[in-house]
Amino acid sequence: MVAVGTDRLHRAVASKMICEMELPTYLTALRERIEQRLRLDTRFPTDCPERLAESIRYSLLAPGKRIRPCLVLMACEACGGEIEAALPAASALEMVHCYSLIHDDLPAMDDDDLRRGRPTNHVQFDEATAILAGDGLLTLAFAVLARDVRPVEIVADCVLDLAAAAGVCGMVGGQQADLEAESDDSITLPELEAIHRRKTGQLLAASLRLGGRIGGADPQTLRSLTIYGESVGLAFQIADDLLDVLGHEEKMGKSVRKDAGHGKRTYPSLLGVEESRRRARQLIDQACEAIAPLGARRAQLTALARYVIERDH
Amino acid sequence: MVAVGTDRLHRAVASKMICEMELPTYLTALRERIEQRLRLDTRFPTDCPERLAESIRYSLLAPGKRIRPCLVLMACEACGGEIEAALPAASALEMVHCYSLIHDDLPAMDDDDLRRGRPTNHVQFDEATAILAGDGLLTLAFAVLARDVRPVEIVADCVLDLAAAAGVCGMVGGQQADLEAESDDSITLPELEAIHRRKTGQLLAASLRLGGRIGGADPQTLRSLTIYGESVGLAFQIADDLLDVLGHEEKMGKSVRKDAGHGKRTYPSLLGVEESRRRARQLIDQACEAIAPLGARRAQLTALARYVIERDH
């Protein structure tokens, strides 16, 4: 990856050249701002137990793609807002994503020992600490939104968007449905898609909506961003399933074909590899079409959508 | 307990007689409104998996003292607000309390099979469902605040108060410190008190603050309510410890002397029974003194504080 300093990004924003940046360069610059913000948000006062703070930083500051916070910043910018204003929401989205990974990895859930090549949180620390680190991150996400999203009038909508996407009819419900479906060999494509919409799609859509709100988006634009987020989310899941079938263990840093080994149904197992690819392309077209009304400023969002189905890691 | 209908409470509010109601009658009336609200807030759409919804309702709608939501409503009323306006915040506080009980009872944490005479959530359902029910309740608490607390301008402060009290420097941090202290026989009174302030005191104080905010309290009144909440919270803990030493299993519906059996240090074990009682009374005096500036409307809060150290269940 090309290293791009904050100054260069600032200059690019100032000169309105950001739409012309190459996507990887742009994402690298966004990620630097996000990492910086995540480090700041996890400098806890001394009344936070040290082991708990360490456990949170271990997972939150681990290397990651930072897809959700990048989408928050990109949506904000695509709506004409400043990246700086969207950083608290970006941080909150990554915290919610990170908490969900910590809890999903627990022995009572997916029982994973490795994530991206490192011991999972409960292996590195212990189960109680991992449960509390997840609880703490989820709580911190809302604290950051409430404390730093401005103007204060949009905080309620941002909190509600995030809570609805992460809650029992969203991500948490999706994880429950996913666990229940694990033993079900007769799952249909609509059922699988309904699980992924809740488990992945809604949080991606919330990333776009929060960025949009902070960028001053009108209700019609928020609807467009929501469709983009849900569609990219599903395409992302299909791409993940395909990598799981076709990928190599060393590339993923986790056990490949693990999902298939658990008897889980995936897109390739239900649709075949070629039809899964076609479905992913169709979703990406849908995503790009939805944000067409945003005009030239949507360039990076379009590029990211296309990238999702081309990536190999 | 005396059954008191909603109508009677409405009339009492309307006629400004509420300060003269007996505390148990008043609490019963408040609890009826709270139960009704909790039932409404857990009517989930069909995209919430049924088992998860059941698990949430199993714990949230179980019989309970409803201390935190009662405090929200009482603080609102003591500041001149309407009970109706504070019901969403009351519901949110009970949800956060309930999630913390579900997670604390897990095998990796306190490993409890019984709570108030009923199987704990993970025993009745399973561990994965219990973890997700807790996650879902915590998330729902913030959704309810964001959706229903009005005016919308105070939502950010309410979310921040709740998140700060429930987070890594509050309740979650207190639980971590408590688990770490379990094996530590040399814990001092200030250390024990610091744990309880985080584990119990902060959420009680947040209950008062949210009620106060909704009732239109000024910053000085919020500070008074915070002192009241923290002091009552600690006194409540001491009373719990005393019941644990002196109580009877049938009264508590859980194993008495369990904490002592785990090697945990309690107020009575550090201070003795008489000195613990004296400390509780001192805290209650402090609580009542703090809210003296609220005038006649503080009557029920004062009565509740006195009741905390007199209760035997």
Side-chain angles (χ1 to χ4, degrees):
Chain A
M1 281 203 255
V2 187
V4 177
T6 301
D7 284 343
R8 183 162 157 203
L9 181 67
H10 275 153
R11 284 198 306 276
V13 173
S15 61
K16 309 281 179 203
M17 294 289 283
I18 208 143
C19 299
E20 291 154 40
M21 254 190 194
E22 289 292 324
L23 179 69
T25 314
Y26 179 64
L27 288 178
T28 304
L30 295 185
R31 278 188 202 114
E32 273 184 31
R33 309 293 298 279
I34 292 161
E35 302 295 338
Q36 191 182 25
R37 173 78 202 200
L38 292 175
R39 282 194 298 272
L40 277 174
D41 281 339
T42 49
R43 276 195 200 159
F44 301 114
T46 50
D47 45 353
C48 170
E50 190 45 39
R51 187 176 170 80
L52 184 61
E54 265 175 46
S55 160
I56 285 176
R57 285 190 289 258
Y58 175 80
S59 291
L60 189 67
L61 305 181
K65 294 190 291 288
R66 312 294 188 204
I67 294 285
R68 291 155 195 79
C70 282
L71 284 173
V72 174
L73 303 184
M74 291 167 79
C76 177
E77 199 164 59
C79 294
E82 297 285 337
I83 278 176
E84 196 64 37
L87 279 169
S91 179
L93 259 296
E94 187 65 10
M95 287 173 185
V96 170
H97 172 59
C98 180
Y99 119 77
S100 77
L101 299 181
I102 296 174
H103 281 192
D104 285 2
D105 286 338
L106 286 167
M109 307 267 251
D110 297 345
D111 194 14
D112 273 311
D113 290 344
L114 274 183
R115 175 164 295 278
R116 298 195 146 248
R118 304 165 81 223
T120 46
N121 195 292
H122 65 276
V123 171
Q124 182 72 18
F125 295 87
D126 56 77
E127 248 185 275
T129 303
I131 294 169
L132 291 170
D135 293 346
L137 272 168
L138 174 57
T139 311
L140 186 59
F142 291 108
V144 168
L145 285 187
R147 194 190 58 205
D148 292 337
V149 167
R150 291 297 173 268
V152 76
E153 291 76 19
I154 69 167
V155 167
D157 284 332
C158 289
V159 168
L160 188 51
D161 275 352
L162 181 59
V168 295
C169 297
M171 192 179 68
V172 165
Q175 172 68 359
Q176 174 82 16
D178 198 14
L179 289 170
E180 288 175 8
E182 242 180 11
S183 50
D184 179 9
D185 278 340
S186 63
I187 191 168
T188 64
L189 188 66
E191 286 166 352
L192 183 74
E193 204 152 289
I195 288 173
H196 289 314
R197 275 189 192 280
R198 283 179 285 177
K199 210 179 154 180
T200 315
Q202 289 207 25
L203 201 63
L204 282 190
S207 307
L208 274 294
R209 291 175 65 86
L210 265 71
R213 287 189 188 282
I214 294 161
D218 58 30
Q220 179 54 44
T221 304
L222 287 179
R223 278 191 290 274
S224 303
L225 290 169
T226 305
I227 296 170
Y228 171 95
E230 286 175 350
S231 305
V232 167
L234 272 185
F236 197 79
Q237 186 59 51
I238 299 175
D240 244 13
D241 282 359
L242 284 165
L243 282 170
D244 200 51
V245 172
L246 310 168
H248 300 290
E249 187 150 340
E250 55 186 324
K251 251 183 189 166
M252 298 286 287
K254 66 172 181 177
S255 314
V256 172
R257 299 196 54 84
K258 190 183 153 300
D259 291 346
H262 271 200
K264 265 189 196 175
R265 305 309 291 260
T266 64
Y267 277 91
S269 70
L270 281 171
L271 281 180
V273 167
E274 270 322 302
E275 186 57 22
S276 296
R277 284 203 175 116
R278 207 193 57 80
R279 175 80 182 119
R281 279 195 300 271
Q282 185 190 41
L283 284 162
I284 292 303
D285 289 343
Q286 204 173 298
C288 294
E289 198 185 302
I291 56 166
L294 269 76
R297 281 192 309 231
R298 76 186 192 280
Q300 300 290 4
L301 284 174
T302 305
L304 182 76
R306 303 273 171 222
Y307 169 74
V308 162
I309 47 172
E310 286 156 17
R311 74 200 170 100
D312 67 347
H313 59 277
Chain B
M1 279 205 255
V2 187
V4 178
T6 302
D7 284 343
R8 182 161 157 204
L9 180 67
H10 275 153
R11 284 198 306 275
V13 173
S15 62
K16 309 282 178 203
M17 295 289 283
I18 208 144
C19 299
E20 291 154 39
M21 255 191 193
E22 289 292 324
L23 179 69
T25 313
Y26 180 66
L27 288 178
T28 302
L30 295 185
R31 278 188 201 114
E32 273 183 32
R33 309 292 299 278
I34 292 161
E35 302 295 338
Q36 190 182 25
R37 173 78 203 198
L38 292 175
R39 282 194 299 272
L40 277 174
D41 281 339
T42 48
R43 278 194 199 159
F44 301 114
T46 51
D47 45 352
C48 170
E50 189 46 39
R51 188 177 168 79
L52 184 61
E54 265 175 46
S55 159
I56 285 176
R57 285 190 289 258
Y58 176 81
S59 291
L60 188 68
L61 306 181
K65 295 190 290 289
R66 311 296 187 204
I67 293 286
R68 291 155 195 81
C70 283
L71 284 173
V72 174
L73 303 184
M74 291 166 79
C76 178
E77 201 164 59
C79 294
E82 297 285 337
I83 278 177
E84 197 64 38
L87 279 169
S91 180
L93 259 297
E94 186 66 9
M95 286 173 186
V96 170
H97 172 59
C98 180
Y99 119 78
S100 77
L101 298 181
I102 295 174
H103 280 191
D104 285 3
D105 285 338
L106 286 167
M109 306 266 253
D110 297 345
D111 194 14
D112 272 311
D113 290 342
L114 275 183
R115 177 164 292 280
R116 297 197 145 248
R118 303 164 81 224
T120 47
N121 195 293
H122 66 275
V123 170
Q124 181 73 16
F125 296 88
D126 55 76
E127 248 186 276
T129 303
I131 294 169
L132 291 169
D135 293 346
L137 272 168
L138 174 57
T139 310
L140 186 60
F142 290 109
V144 167
L145 284 187
R147 193 188 61 204
D148 293 337
V149 166
R150 292 295 174 269
V152 77
E153 291 74 21
I154 68 167
V155 168
D157 283 333
C158 288
V159 168
L160 189 53
D161 275 352
L162 181 58
V168 295
C169 296
M171 191 178 68
V172 165
Q175 173 66 0
Q176 175 82 19
D178 198 14
L179 289 170
E180 288 175 7
E182 242 180 13
S183 51
D184 178 9
D185 278 341
S186 63
I187 191 168
T188 64
L189 187 66
E191 285 165 350
L192 182 74
E193 204 152 290
I195 289 174
H196 289 314
R197 276 190 191 279
R198 284 180 285 177
K199 211 180 153 181
T200 315
Q202 288 207 26
L203 201 63
L204 282 190
S207 307
L208 275 293
R209 291 176 66 85
L210 265 70
R213 286 190 188 282
I214 294 162
D218 59 30
Q220 179 54 45
T221 304
L222 287 179
R223 279 192 289 274
S224 302
L225 290 169
T226 305
I227 296 169
Y228 171 95
E230 286 174 351
S231 305
V232 167
L234 271 185
F236 197 79
Q237 186 60 51
I238 299 175
D240 245 14
D241 283 359
L242 284 166
L243 281 171
D244 200 52
V245 171
L246 310 168
H248 301 291
E249 187 151 340
E250 55 185 327
K251 252 185 191 165
M252 297 287 287
K254 65 171 183 178
S255 315
V256 172
R257 298 196 55 84
K258 192 182 152 300
D259 290 346
H262 271 201
K264 265 189 196 175
R265 305 309 292 258
T266 63
Y267 277 91
S269 71
L270 282 170
L271 281 180
V273 167
E274 271 320 301
E275 187 58 21
S276 297
R277 284 201 177 118
R278 206 194 58 79
R279 175 81 181 120
R281 279 194 300 273
Q282 184 190 43
L283 284 161
I284 292 302
D285 289 342
Q286 204 172 298
C288 294
E289 196 185 302
I291 55 167
L294 269 76
R297 283 192 308 231
R298 78 187 191 279
Q300 300 290 4
L301 284 173
T302 304
L304 183 77
R306 302 276 171 218
Y307 169 75
V308 162
I309 45 171
E310 286 157 18
R311 76 200 168 101
D312 65 348
H313 60 278

